[in-house]
Amino acid sequence: MKILTIDIETRPNEVYTWGLWNQNVGLSQIKQPGSLLCFAAKFRGERQVHFHSAWEDGEKGMARKLRALFNEADAVCGWNSDKFDIRWVYAQFLKHGMGKPSPFAKVDLMKSVKRQVALPSYKLDYVARWLGVGSKVDTGGFELWLDVMAGDAKAQGLMRKYNINDTKLTEAVFDRLHERGWVLGLPNHSITEGDACPNCGSDNLRCEGTRETKTRSYQRYQCRECLTWIRSVNSLPRKASMVVA
Ligand SMILES: [Zn+2]
């Protein structure tokens, strides 16, 4: 299964404004809308990080690279990627006359954490530190974006480093969550790999009681590798043949 982890950086909207505080910016005040600046993407289990940018590849070139990577992926993983990264990427596909990439599972790790675990913050940096897997690189703030857009090679180098680090950090968070079965939305390993753990693909499963629904009972298992709870596809023979409330 090919899992692509991705992080993008965007360029802000350039707008005309009369004041600084509490502004409502009308559509006619947009000088240039925000867009994709660069991305870093990595397949799990591979060392190479694919980095492409508007300044090196051009917008369309970047979109083509992204599309090729998405087409290879069974799942695309990121931090807040359902709302942010994937939609920005799709905007590029549409803008440049491309269709959608081949279907893939969307694995937004922020959703996995937010839905299951109470924390004071759901920022990548906070969660990564909390899990003890690393932290973000300091960008130095908005100045970096200004310098990158002005064509400063040193700033572009730092943006690249920052972007690549974010993708690696996101993958580190993925690994930490995945090793104990906390990632939501992954494709099911057992469909392609037979009687294997749906989460990690291990066949090291043990019978562990039964799982009851309102009308059926199923054999329950637990994966010995990632501790994911699993049940059989077919239900166990029913004791009652007539009575359901
Ligand atoms: Zn497992």
Side-chain angles (χ1 to χ4, degrees):
M1 187 183 300
K2 292 197 86 174
I3 300 172
L4 184 72
T5 302
I6 185 173
D7 181 60
I8 65 162
E9 297 303 333
T10 55
R11 201 180 61 202
N13 298 308
E14 277 182 53
V15 300
Y16 294 106
T17 153
W18 300 109
L20 294 177
W21 188 74
N22 210 10
Q23 296 291 300
N24 277 314
V25 180
L27 289 178
S28 60
Q29 289 166 263
I30 296 175
K31 190 179 167 199
Q32 194 183 12
S35 187
L36 198 57
L37 202 52
C38 56
F39 77 87
K42 182 180 176 301
F43 282 109
R44 195 157 177 259
E46 291 181 10
R47 286 193 61 181
Q48 189 190 0
V49 180
H50 304 265
F51 177 85
H52 295 280
S53 63
W55 61 86
E56 277 173 358
D57 307 86
E59 252 194 20
K60 195 168 184 180
M62 209 173 16
R64 283 204 188 106
K65 301 278 186 195
L66 273 164
R67 200 158 179 287
L69 291 166
F70 272 52
N71 275 339
E72 268 188 71
D74 299 303
V76 175
C77 167
W79 192 262
N80 196 23
S81 47
D82 286 2
K83 220 174 185 180
F84 189 74
D85 304 68
I86 289 176
R87 291 167 70 239
W88 273 103
V89 168
Y90 272 21
Q92 290 299 308
F93 291 166
L94 179 55
K95 184 178 174 184
H96 296 290
M98 300 174 183
K100 289 184 196 174
S102 55
F104 58 90
K106 290 178 185 168
V107 181
D108 185 339
L109 295 176
M110 192 177 87
K111 279 189 182 169
S112 289
V113 174
K114 231 176 183 176
R115 282 186 189 160
Q116 301 179 98
V117 183
L119 291 175
S121 166
Y122 296 99
K123 289 197 160 143
L124 175 61
D125 189 53
Y126 182 85
V127 177
R129 283 173 195 260
W130 182 74
L131 289 169
V133 296
S135 59
K136 285 176 80 116
V137 174
D138 186 19
T139 59
F142 191 66
E143 292 284 314
L144 179 64
W145 271 256
L146 288 175
D147 293 343
V148 165
M149 292 184 292
D152 181 324
K154 203 176 150 204
Q156 289 168 347
L158 183 57
M159 179 69 83
R160 178 193 174 100
K161 186 179 156 198
Y162 172 74
N163 196 180
I164 288 174
N165 182 73
D166 267 7
T167 293
K168 287 185 171 171
L169 188 63
T170 304
E171 196 185 56
V173 170
F174 176 94
D175 288 341
R176 188 77 165 69
L177 296 174
H178 184 252
E179 69 186 2
R180 284 294 178 259
W182 290 97
V183 177
L184 302 177
L186 276 175
N188 183 349
H189 273 275
S190 67
I191 288 175
T192 48
E193 286 156 49
D195 283 339
C197 168
N199 179 60
C200 74
S202 166
D203 58 5
N204 192 2
L205 314 176
R206 78 170 161 206
C207 283
E208 191 69 56
T210 55
R211 161 100 176 256
E212 272 78 40
T213 65
K214 287 215 164 181
T215 55
R216 305 265 168 191
S217 181
Y218 297 85
Q219 178 61 56
R220 195 173 62 182
Y221 303 88
Q222 190 179 26
C223 173
R224 283 176 191 252
E225 303 294 335
C226 72
L227 309 182
T228 293
W229 292 97
I230 309 154
R231 69 160 173 83
S232 58
V233 173
N234 296 318
S235 57
L236 297 165
R238 284 169 58 148
K239 284 184 180 149
S241 57
M242 290 172 60
V243 188
V244 173

